Amino acid sequence: MCGIIGFTGRSQAKDILVEGLTRMEYRGYDSAGVALEVAGADGEARLDVIRRVGKVAGLASELEGYKDESTCGIGHTRWATHGRPSTANAHPHTSCDGRIAVVHNGIVENFAELREELQDRGHEFKSDTDTEVFAHLIEEAYGCEGDLMAAVREAVSQVAGAYGLAAVCADEPGTIAVARKDSPIIIGMGEMGAYVASDVIALIDATRDVVVLADDQFAKLTPEGIECTDSEGRAIQPEVTHVDWDLDMAEKGGYPDFMLKEIHEQPRVVRDTLVGRMSANGELDIDELGLSLQELNDIDRVYVIACGTSYHAGLVAKNVIEGWARIPCEVEAASEFRYRDPIITPSTLVVAVSQSGETADTLAAIRDARIKGAKVFGITNVVGSPVARESDGVIYTKANKEIAVASTKSFIGQIVSLMLLALLLAQVKYRLSTKTARMLFRELGDTAEQIQRILDESSDSIHEAAEAVAPAHSALFVGRGMGAAIAYEGALKLKEVSYLHAEAYAAGEMKHGPIALIEPGFPVIAVATKSPTYDKVVSNLMECRARGAVVVTVATEGDEEIKKIADHVIYIPQVRDCFSPITASVPLQLLAREAALLRGCDVDQPRNLAKSVTVE
Ligand code: M6R
């Protein structure tokens, strides 16, 4: 996730910016940069922009040799979304004349149109980023307004999307203009001057009394103080919040651990992964499609290859690729696929799913599939990662950096991305009408709100269920159809973070073996949401209950009947069955975390596990 920092005051800006960027580096980075206001030899102020690919330390060592005593500047650490990691794509971005610089978090949905219009009016773009449009829009508006704050207000009024933005202008030394919509911006006044950041962690050494800007609010920072305004430029009196977090808490956004923070980020992940993907006429926009519509239309077989949680996202994808696009789809562990001799032809599409984009088995399977002539499509969270580079086309999951070893938000981003791919295939093959595709796309987006409701309303029932599960030695997860895919992921989460043995089974398979495990007190955790196989799942649970199992169900709101067979019910909102994996996964993630905490485990860094598995 990108980080913004800015300072104007009576102290050297560069050290404050570097310190702030270093503090935010834990959120993920691929490059970093600063823009500093300095007085030129002729006495005229100018902006010096220094950017570096890689860690903030690289930028810091470059800045060590930088002698100008600038007291105003902005900085940024980037986690790429538009455009590969490169110096040109690193922030700050500048106007044509180099007198305006901006740093931005968020997404400009209409950047392609804006960029074209600006180019038609003579602006030259130096990067592939969506952010750069801000620099040029502000430049144009500044030409008319002669006022940075008014120019920023005018620029953002033309933008659709999300932004946390800070801008400086060489013609207004000492001023930082700030704007916010759907991306965090925090400002504060310290002893040495005024600060802006996207994360409280970058400010807490300077001040603990901060203002969290609300959407559509603006702020003008000068060494003397901060003025907040609304979108009309009217002064507003923002609420000041006192932050008493320590550094560790601040890094986690106030959550006790990264796993919980990342689970709570999932509504945003759904929204960000979908933003700007469907045009008004129902056409889908994929990051780097890399395949012609004819090539997509020719596809007659899909393999989804992945490992761990990403493999489980593939199990969900199989249902929609076959259900919506009617293309046969197989899901395989990449570690198996690479050593088999799968049937691959030029009309085979291999979809490689990897959060990190660098899992060794997945990469080896991609290479093997390409040699055999398959087209390869990557679903990854990391722009420019090996999976992205070695695939013909890519969808980025927009989960931002995931720190907890157990994947949560990236899983949700993967499912949403795979559903986009399934919709695309269905449209290209005319298996779904534009009307239906639009409706499914809208309902997919609605899951953001539904996840939020689960996060807001289910903690008590999840805690009670976790208390029942935590003392056990083993647990069984069951479900059918989409529910089975989620059961597999639920079991993986539980064993990963709580070290409790857990196994998942398609519920209908219980009587063919696993039911022998059931004895009084044995936990059976079932995905029993309303679906075409709901009644079957209920009968399977009755069989478990009859043998003394403690039954925990994830069920659909309003289902009172389920209480007759379940000891613990976690309700989730009703959704179309194909979208239930997105919502039903959330309580199982929380259940795993709660059980792990009750068992005294470190949920962020489970033993024996690494975040990316780059060896075979
Ligand atoms: O980065 P990848 O998605 O390729 O990683 C695959 C697995 O190693 C990963 O999903 C792992 O299973 C997670 N720790 C699960 O939470």
Side-chain angles (χ1 to χ4, degrees):
M1 179 130 166
C2 305
I4 285 176
I5 179 80
F7 170 76
T8 177
R10 293 172 296 283
S11 181
Q12 271 238 13
K14 78 167 185 186
D15 298 337
I16 293 169
L17 300 186
V18 168
E19 175 63 23
L21 294 179
T22 309
R23 285 273 174 88
M24 288 186 286
E25 212 173 15
Y26 77 97
R27 300 153 60 109
Y29 56 83
D30 53 59
S31 50
V34 295
L36 295 161
E37 274 176 13
V38 289
D42 52 2
E44 197 191 5
R46 64 161 203 274
L47 297 178
D48 276 356
V49 176
I50 299 124
R51 300 177 292 178
R52 263 267 179 279
V53 173
K55 292 191 178 198
V56 174
L59 177 73
S61 55
E62 176 146 353
L63 283 170
E64 266 168 28
Y66 183 84
K67 293 289 172 254
D68 272 301
E69 303 265 307
S70 170
T71 56
C72 176
I74 53 177
H76 191 265
T77 172
R78 177 170 189 252
W79 169 261
T81 54
H82 276 94
R84 293 176 183 281
S86 67
T87 307
N89 287 338
H91 299 214
H93 292 288
T94 50
S95 54
C96 295
D97 62 8
R99 299 192 66 73
I100 287 165
V102 293
V103 289
H104 161 233
N105 286 354
I107 297 173
V108 181
E109 285 174 41
N110 56 340
F111 100 102
E113 296 99 282
L114 288 172
R115 184 179 168 118
E116 208 177 301
E117 288 165 17
L118 285 158
Q119 281 170 329
D120 288 347
R121 296 199 291 271
H123 289 267
E124 278 182 25
F125 279 73
K126 303 172 282 276
S127 75
D128 305 321
T129 65
D130 54 341
T131 298
E132 196 182 339
V133 298
F134 280 112
H136 297 283
L137 288 172
I138 297 170
E139 179 176 36
E140 278 194 351
Y142 193 79
C144 307
E145 310 272 356
D147 173 59
L148 181 61
M149 206 60 247
V152 166
R153 204 173 282 117
E154 168 56 29
V156 300
S157 73
Q158 298 176 55
V159 164
Y163 48 81
L165 180 89
V168 286
C169 173
D171 296 310
E172 280 189 38
T175 299
I176 302 176
V178 172
R180 176 214 155 120
K181 183 161 185 283
D182 291 332
S183 188
I185 283 285
I186 296 133
I187 50 180
M189 206 56 211
E191 268 177 33
M192 301 312 293
Y195 299 75
V196 54
S198 53
D199 189 324
V200 78
I201 196 168
L203 296 193
I204 55 176
D205 278 351
T207 178
R208 286 179 171 266
D209 294 317
V210 300
V211 168
V212 180
L213 270 198
D215 281 346
D216 302 314
Q217 289 186 344
F218 298 78
K220 178 177 177 177
L221 279 60
T222 61
E224 290 73 44
I226 296 176
E227 290 164 23
C228 293
T229 46
D230 65 12
S231 52
E232 304 293 326
R234 291 177 295 236
I236 49 170
Q237 216 31 271
E239 197 183 320
V240 175
T241 307
H242 183 76
V243 179
D244 51 14
W245 298 343
D246 59 22
L247 246 182
D248 185 54
M249 275 174 83
E251 259 195 355
K252 293 169 184 152
Y255 290 96
D257 47 77
F258 283 112
M259 185 177 181
L260 189 60
K261 175 175 181 269
E262 288 163 359
I263 290 172
H264 277 258
E265 282 178 55
Q266 293 179 121
R268 178 198 58 73
V269 174
V270 173
R271 281 191 286 267
D272 284 0
T273 306
L274 291 178
V275 89
R277 300 289 198 184
M278 190 175 263
S279 69
N281 59 8
E283 274 168 25
L284 285 164
D285 182 7
I286 301 300
D287 292 298
E288 293 169 21
L289 187 52
L291 298 172
S292 69
L293 293 183
Q294 187 57 52
E295 283 173 318
L296 284 175
N297 196 21
D298 289 345
I299 287 163
D300 57 12
R301 179 197 295 266
V302 176
Y303 286 105
V304 181
I305 52 163
C307 302
T309 288
S310 303
Y311 169 81
H312 297 147
L315 296 179
V316 174
K318 174 182 168 70
N319 287 277
V320 286
I321 290 172
E322 293 191 341
W324 295 344
R326 309 301 299 154
I327 308 175
C329 175
E330 287 177 48
V331 188
E332 275 202 55
S335 52
E336 292 294 314
F337 184 87
R338 61 183 290 197
Y339 290 113
R340 283 204 312 118
D341 186 14
I343 298 167
I344 287 178
T345 68
S347 50
T348 302
L349 179 68
V350 168
V351 181
V353 187
S354 173
Q355 183 283 129
S356 60
E358 57 181 24
T359 297
D361 283 322
T362 310
L363 271 173
I366 290 178
R367 288 171 190 152
D368 193 46
R370 287 185 73 111
I371 290 169
K372 292 185 168 125
K375 307 276 182 307
V376 178
F377 204 88
I379 306 279
T380 181
N381 194 29
V382 183
V383 175
S385 59
V387 164
R389 286 200 307 270
E390 299 194 27
S391 299
D392 296 293
V394 189
I395 300 182
Y396 293 114
T397 52
K398 310 275 165 78
N400 292 334
K401 181 151 175 107
E402 189 173 65
I403 293 174
V405 168
S407 291
T408 54
K409 61 175 181 170
S410 63
F411 177 61
I412 296 299
Q414 288 168 344
I415 296 177
V416 172
S417 304
L418 286 160
M419 288 188 170
L420 280 176
L421 180 64
L423 277 180
L424 177 73
L425 291 169
Q427 277 193 321
V428 170
K429 286 187 169 281
Y430 299 103
R431 302 268 157 74
L432 286 181
S433 68
T434 305
K435 190 170 164 222
T436 308
R438 267 211 203 113
M439 178 193 74
L440 291 170
F441 183 85
R442 199 193 55 244
E443 289 182 22
L444 180 57
D446 290 345
T447 59
E449 183 64 29
Q450 286 144 359
I451 295 174
Q452 191 59 55
R453 279 191 50 211
I454 297 167
L455 295 172
D456 293 343
E457 295 169 13
S458 305
S459 49
D460 290 349
S461 52
I462 292 170
H463 186 75
E464 280 167 27
E467 282 184 326
V469 171
H473 298 295
S474 183
L476 197 58
F477 284 70
V478 295
R480 282 178 169 229
M482 287 295 196
I486 291 318
Y488 287 114
E489 175 57 10
L492 175 60
K493 281 294 82 88
L494 186 68
K495 57 187 147 197
E496 206 173 13
V497 296
S498 75
Y499 315 143
L500 212 163
H501 171 255
E503 214 182 317
Y505 249 82
E509 286 292 290
M510 289 282 293
K511 53 185 162 303
H512 300 291
I515 202 161
L517 292 169
I518 310 276
E519 56 184 357
F522 187 95
V524 173
I525 299 145
V527 181
T529 48
K530 287 287 180 184
S531 74
T533 51
Y534 170 79
D535 293 339
K536 308 279 177 201
V537 175
V538 167
S539 339
N540 298 139
L541 291 179
M542 281 172 166
E543 290 157 13
C544 297
R545 175 76 182 243
R547 286 156 182 85
V550 172
V551 176
V552 175
T553 60
V554 175
T556 306
E557 256 170 10
D559 179 1
E560 292 298 318
E561 283 297 297
I562 198 85
K563 286 185 179 159
K564 293 184 187 156
I565 50 157
D567 300 276
H568 301 276
V569 183
I570 306 164
Y571 284 115
I572 61 171
Q574 169 117 43
V575 292
R576 191 183 290 272
D577 185 42
C578 55
F579 300 129
S580 63
I582 300 175
T583 48
S585 303
V586 178
L588 296 185
Q589 295 167 344
L590 290 164
L591 176 71
R593 174 184 171 275
E594 290 266 339
L597 293 176
L598 289 167
R599 292 165 65 86
C601 302
D602 175 347
V603 293
D604 283 341
Q605 290 185 316
R607 68 185 179 206
N608 306 341
L609 294 174
K611 186 67 187 161
S612 25
V613 184
T614 53
V615 289
E616 198 183 347

